Amino acid sequence: MSATFTVSAGVRIPTSLLRQRSGSGSGRWHRLSTRAASELELEVCVKASTTVPDRLGDCPFTQRVLLTLEEKHLPYQMKFVDLSNKPHWFLQISPEGKVPLLKLEEKWLADSDVITQALEQKYPQPPLTTPPHKASVGSNIFSTFIAFLKSKDPSDATQQALLRELTSFNEYLKDNGPFINGDTISAADLSLAPKLYHMEIALGHYKNWSVPESLSYLNNYMKTIFSRESFVKTRALHEDVIAGWRPKVMS
């Protein structure tokens, strides 16, 4: 284990202050043994890495929640869940067995839409709300990416459908960027960016495909967000993204 474990934006805690507690089944909970524990308000259940112990896994919806916490500078604890062997304690709070889950005011919330909206309401500063008329920008990219990734027929136009969506988003950024809401990052970016990250890795690995250089505004958008501190802290390992999409590719 490394010398420190990051629990929130800008906070790095020495491992000497951490202790590990095992629950029933899998999952490990990192907690502080000093008064700093009282400052950690929010608990988040996240997918565990399938390639490296005690690391965050490859769920883009979980990363959306973590990005929101990071951008709002909210301290949090992560509880890693092995989704291939879901422990009893997890199924008790998540009967559907899905992540992310976030505990807010003693209540477990599911679904990244619900969680991020609740965080915005309770912690409005800094504001991340995207104006309604911009909130759906780029929303079709993820589904067209998945269709192309799963496709085994080069003539089925799934690649062209993805390119249309990416080109449309590139044109939007050209006129309205650098982010979806202009000069400031917002909730729509935090939702879309993890999906673009998965798209880049999965299509690069399974299709030897990348975003065309001609889509310069999109490429700059991805480069800017992927290098942002909050994103670097919460991104999945490339190996986990590749492993996570393998069942869809092979089906």
Side-chain angles (χ1 to χ4, degrees), residues 19-30:
R19 68 172 181 266
Q20 183 172 302
R21 183 180 72 186
S22 298
S24 59
S26 6
R28 293 180 174 81
W29 199 319
H30 298 270

mmCIF file with all atom_site columns, all heavy atoms in Angstrom, residues 19-30:
data_model
loop_
_atom_site.group_PDB
_atom_site.id
_atom_site.type_symbol
_atom_site.label_atom_id
_atom_site.label_alt_id
_atom_site.label_comp_id
_atom_site.label_asym_id
_atom_site.label_entity_id
_atom_site.label_seq_id
_atom_site.pdbx_PDB_ins_code
_atom_site.Cartn_x
_atom_site.Cartn_y
_atom_site.Cartn_z
_atom_site.occupancy
_atom_site.B_iso_or_equiv
_atom_site.pdbx_formal_charge
_atom_site.auth_seq_id
_atom_site.auth_comp_id
_atom_site.auth_asym_id
_atom_site.auth_atom_id
_atom_site.pdbx_PDB_model_num
ATOM 1  N N   . ARG A 1 19 ? -7.036  2.533   9.559  1.00 0.00 ? 19 ARG A N   1
ATOM 2  C CA  . ARG A 1 19 ? -7.112  1.130   9.943  1.00 0.00 ? 19 ARG A CA  1
ATOM 3  C C   . ARG A 1 19 ? -8.103  0.454   9.016  1.00 0.00 ? 19 ARG A C   1
ATOM 4  O O   . ARG A 1 19 ? -8.984  1.087   8.446  1.00 0.00 ? 19 ARG A O   1
ATOM 5  C CB  . ARG A 1 19 ? -7.526  0.960   11.399 1.00 0.00 ? 19 ARG A CB  1
ATOM 6  C CG  . ARG A 1 19 ? -8.969  1.380   11.737 1.00 0.00 ? 19 ARG A CG  1
ATOM 7  C CD  . ARG A 1 19 ? -9.289  0.977   13.165 1.00 0.00 ? 19 ARG A CD  1
ATOM 8  N NE  . ARG A 1 19 ? -10.655 1.329   13.522 1.00 0.00 ? 19 ARG A NE  1
ATOM 9  C CZ  . ARG A 1 19 ? -10.996 2.449   14.129 1.00 0.00 ? 19 ARG A CZ  1
ATOM 10 N NH1 . ARG A 1 19 ? -10.080 3.343   14.443 1.00 0.00 ? 19 ARG A NH1 1
ATOM 11 N NH2 . ARG A 1 19 ? -12.262 2.701   14.432 1.00 0.00 ? 19 ARG A NH2 1
ATOM 12 N N   . GLN A 1 20 ? -7.950  -0.832  8.853  1.00 0.00 ? 20 GLN A N   1
ATOM 13 C CA  . GLN A 1 20 ? -8.774  -1.581  7.916  1.00 0.00 ? 20 GLN A CA  1
ATOM 14 C C   . GLN A 1 20 ? -9.715  -2.467  8.703  1.00 0.00 ? 20 GLN A C   1
ATOM 15 O O   . GLN A 1 20 ? -9.333  -3.131  9.652  1.00 0.00 ? 20 GLN A O   1
ATOM 16 C CB  . GLN A 1 20 ? -7.879  -2.420  7.013  1.00 0.00 ? 20 GLN A CB  1
ATOM 17 C CG  . GLN A 1 20 ? -8.632  -3.176  5.948  1.00 0.00 ? 20 GLN A CG  1
ATOM 18 C CD  . GLN A 1 20 ? -7.653  -3.811  5.008  1.00 0.00 ? 20 GLN A CD  1
ATOM 19 O OE1 . GLN A 1 20 ? -6.847  -3.135  4.397  1.00 0.00 ? 20 GLN A OE1 1
ATOM 20 N NE2 . GLN A 1 20 ? -7.710  -5.113  4.913  1.00 0.00 ? 20 GLN A NE2 1
ATOM 21 N N   . ARG A 1 21 ? -10.980 -2.426  8.301  1.00 0.00 ? 21 ARG A N   1
ATOM 22 C CA  . ARG A 1 21 ? -11.968 -3.265  8.948  1.00 0.00 ? 21 ARG A CA  1
ATOM 23 C C   . ARG A 1 21 ? -12.614 -4.151  7.909  1.00 0.00 ? 21 ARG A C   1
ATOM 24 O O   . ARG A 1 21 ? -13.069 -3.671  6.886  1.00 0.00 ? 21 ARG A O   1
ATOM 25 C CB  . ARG A 1 21 ? -13.045 -2.403  9.608  1.00 0.00 ? 21 ARG A CB  1
ATOM 26 C CG  . ARG A 1 21 ? -14.082 -3.218  10.371 1.00 0.00 ? 21 ARG A CG  1
ATOM 27 C CD  . ARG A 1 21 ? -15.112 -2.305  11.001 1.00 0.00 ? 21 ARG A CD  1
ATOM 28 N NE  . ARG A 1 21 ? -16.002 -1.744  9.997  1.00 0.00 ? 21 ARG A NE  1
ATOM 29 C CZ  . ARG A 1 21 ? -16.911 -0.840  10.269 1.00 0.00 ? 21 ARG A CZ  1
ATOM 30 N NH1 . ARG A 1 21 ? -17.020 -0.356  11.490 1.00 0.00 ? 21 ARG A NH1 1
ATOM 31 N NH2 . ARG A 1 21 ? -17.699 -0.370  9.316  1.00 0.00 ? 21 ARG A NH2 1
ATOM 32 N N   . SER A 1 22 ? -12.674 -5.455  8.177  1.00 0.00 ? 22 SER A N   1
ATOM 33 C CA  . SER A 1 22 ? -13.295 -6.372  7.227  1.00 0.00 ? 22 SER A CA  1
ATOM 34 C C   . SER A 1 22 ? -14.745 -6.586  7.616  1.00 0.00 ? 22 SER A C   1
ATOM 35 O O   . SER A 1 22 ? -15.063 -6.833  8.778  1.00 0.00 ? 22 SER A O   1
ATOM 36 C CB  . SER A 1 22 ? -12.572 -7.710  7.221  1.00 0.00 ? 22 SER A CB  1
ATOM 37 O OG  . SER A 1 22 ? -11.233 -7.524  6.817  1.00 0.00 ? 22 SER A OG  1
ATOM 38 N N   . GLY A 1 23 ? -15.622 -6.501  6.630  1.00 0.00 ? 23 GLY A N   1
ATOM 39 C CA  . GLY A 1 23 ? -17.023 -6.823  6.850  1.00 0.00 ? 23 GLY A CA  1
ATOM 40 C C   . GLY A 1 23 ? -17.261 -8.257  6.419  1.00 0.00 ? 23 GLY A C   1
ATOM 41 O O   . GLY A 1 23 ? -16.349 -8.985  6.064  1.00 0.00 ? 23 GLY A O   1
ATOM 42 N N   . SER A 1 24 ? -18.537 -8.681  6.447  1.00 0.00 ? 24 SER A N   1
ATOM 43 C CA  . SER A 1 24 ? -18.845 -10.003 5.937  1.00 0.00 ? 24 SER A CA  1
ATOM 44 C C   . SER A 1 24 ? -18.683 -9.985  4.437  1.00 0.00 ? 24 SER A C   1
ATOM 45 O O   . SER A 1 24 ? -19.030 -9.022  3.785  1.00 0.00 ? 24 SER A O   1
ATOM 46 C CB  . SER A 1 24 ? -20.275 -10.372 6.318  1.00 0.00 ? 24 SER A CB  1
ATOM 47 O OG  . SER A 1 24 ? -21.165 -9.421  5.794  1.00 0.00 ? 24 SER A OG  1
ATOM 48 N N   . GLY A 1 25 ? -18.137 -11.038 3.884  1.00 0.00 ? 25 GLY A N   1
ATOM 49 C CA  . GLY A 1 25 ? -17.906 -11.049 2.444  1.00 0.00 ? 25 GLY A CA  1
ATOM 50 C C   . GLY A 1 25 ? -16.748 -10.156 2.089  1.00 0.00 ? 25 GLY A C   1
ATOM 51 O O   . GLY A 1 25 ? -15.786 -10.016 2.811  1.00 0.00 ? 25 GLY A O   1
ATOM 52 N N   . SER A 1 26 ? -16.855 -9.505  0.891  1.00 0.00 ? 26 SER A N   1
ATOM 53 C CA  . SER A 1 26 ? -15.752 -8.676  0.440  1.00 0.00 ? 26 SER A CA  1
ATOM 54 C C   . SER A 1 26 ? -16.009 -7.223  0.712  1.00 0.00 ? 26 SER A C   1
ATOM 55 O O   . SER A 1 26 ? -17.037 -6.830  1.143  1.00 0.00 ? 26 SER A O   1
ATOM 56 C CB  . SER A 1 26 ? -15.496 -8.865  -1.021 1.00 0.00 ? 26 SER A CB  1
ATOM 57 O OG  . SER A 1 26 ? -16.402 -9.641  -1.639 1.00 0.00 ? 26 SER A OG  1
ATOM 58 N N   . GLY A 1 27 ? -14.995 -6.422  0.417  1.00 0.00 ? 27 GLY A N   1
ATOM 59 C CA  . GLY A 1 27 ? -15.104 -4.982  0.630  1.00 0.00 ? 27 GLY A CA  1
ATOM 60 C C   . GLY A 1 27 ? -14.227 -4.567  1.787  1.00 0.00 ? 27 GLY A C   1
ATOM 61 O O   . GLY A 1 27 ? -14.143 -5.263  2.800  1.00 0.00 ? 27 GLY A O   1
ATOM 62 N N   . ARG A 1 28 ? -13.570 -3.443  1.643  1.00 0.00 ? 28 ARG A N   1
ATOM 63 C CA  . ARG A 1 28 ? -12.706 -2.950  2.710  1.00 0.00 ? 28 ARG A CA  1
ATOM 64 C C   . ARG A 1 28 ? -13.034 -1.501  2.964  1.00 0.00 ? 28 ARG A C   1
ATOM 65 O O   . ARG A 1 28 ? -13.192 -0.715  2.052  1.00 0.00 ? 28 ARG A O   1
ATOM 66 C CB  . ARG A 1 28 ? -11.228 -3.091  2.318  1.00 0.00 ? 28 ARG A CB  1
ATOM 67 C CG  . ARG A 1 28 ? -10.771 -4.534  2.217  1.00 0.00 ? 28 ARG A CG  1
ATOM 68 C CD  . ARG A 1 28 ? -9.322  -4.590  1.834  1.00 0.00 ? 28 ARG A CD  1
ATOM 69 N NE  . ARG A 1 28 ? -8.823  -5.944  1.859  1.00 0.00 ? 28 ARG A NE  1
ATOM 70 C CZ  . ARG A 1 28 ? -8.986  -6.828  0.889  1.00 0.00 ? 28 ARG A CZ  1
ATOM 71 N NH1 . ARG A 1 28 ? -9.647  -6.486  -0.196 1.00 0.00 ? 28 ARG A NH1 1
ATOM 72 N NH2 . ARG A 1 28 ? -8.497  -8.043  0.991  1.00 0.00 ? 28 ARG A NH2 1
ATOM 73 N N   . TRP A 1 29 ? -13.103 -1.149  4.232  1.00 0.00 ? 29 TRP A N   1
ATOM 74 C CA  . TRP A 1 29 ? -13.481 0.192   4.606  1.00 0.00 ? 29 TRP A CA  1
ATOM 75 C C   . TRP A 1 29 ? -12.271 0.886   5.210  1.00 0.00 ? 29 TRP A C   1
ATOM 76 O O   . TRP A 1 29 ? -11.709 0.421   6.184  1.00 0.00 ? 29 TRP A O   1
ATOM 77 C CB  . TRP A 1 29 ? -14.594 0.122   5.646  1.00 0.00 ? 29 TRP A CB  1
ATOM 78 C CG  . TRP A 1 29 ? -15.371 1.381   5.777  1.00 0.00 ? 29 TRP A CG  1
ATOM 79 C CD1 . TRP A 1 29 ? -14.902 2.650   5.768  1.00 0.00 ? 29 TRP A CD1 1
ATOM 80 C CD2 . TRP A 1 29 ? -16.783 1.478   5.945  1.00 0.00 ? 29 TRP A CD2 1
ATOM 81 N NE1 . TRP A 1 29 ? -15.921 3.537   5.907  1.00 0.00 ? 29 TRP A NE1 1
ATOM 82 C CE2 . TRP A 1 29 ? -17.086 2.848   6.029  1.00 0.00 ? 29 TRP A CE2 1
ATOM 83 C CE3 . TRP A 1 29 ? -17.819 0.553   6.049  1.00 0.00 ? 29 TRP A CE3 1
ATOM 84 C CZ2 . TRP A 1 29 ? -18.379 3.309   6.207  1.00 0.00 ? 29 TRP A CZ2 1
ATOM 85 C CZ3 . TRP A 1 29 ? -19.086 1.017   6.235  1.00 0.00 ? 29 TRP A CZ3 1
ATOM 86 C CH2 . TRP A 1 29 ? -19.365 2.370   6.307  1.00 0.00 ? 29 TRP A CH2 1
ATOM 87 N N   . HIS A 1 30 ? -11.870 1.996   4.623  1.00 0.00 ? 30 HIS A N   1
ATOM 88 C CA  . HIS A 1 30 ? -10.741 2.765   5.125  1.00 0.00 ? 30 HIS A CA  1
ATOM 89 C C   . HIS A 1 30 ? -11.271 3.853   6.042  1.00 0.00 ? 30 HIS A C   1
ATOM 90 O O   . HIS A 1 30 ? -12.063 4.690   5.642  1.00 0.00 ? 30 HIS A O   1
ATOM 91 C CB  . HIS A 1 30 ? -9.965  3.388   3.965  1.00 0.00 ? 30 HIS A CB  1
ATOM 92 C CG  . HIS A 1 30 ? -9.394  2.358   3.056  1.00 0.00 ? 30 HIS A CG  1
ATOM 93 N ND1 . HIS A 1 30 ? -8.156  1.814   3.228  1.00 0.00 ? 30 HIS A ND1 1
ATOM 94 C CD2 . HIS A 1 30 ? -9.922  1.750   1.963  1.00 0.00 ? 30 HIS A CD2 1
ATOM 95 C CE1 . HIS A 1 30 ? -7.924  0.938   2.272  1.00 0.00 ? 30 HIS A CE1 1
ATOM 96 N NE2 . HIS A 1 30 ? -8.983  0.876   1.497  1.00 0.00 ? 30 HIS A NE2 1
#
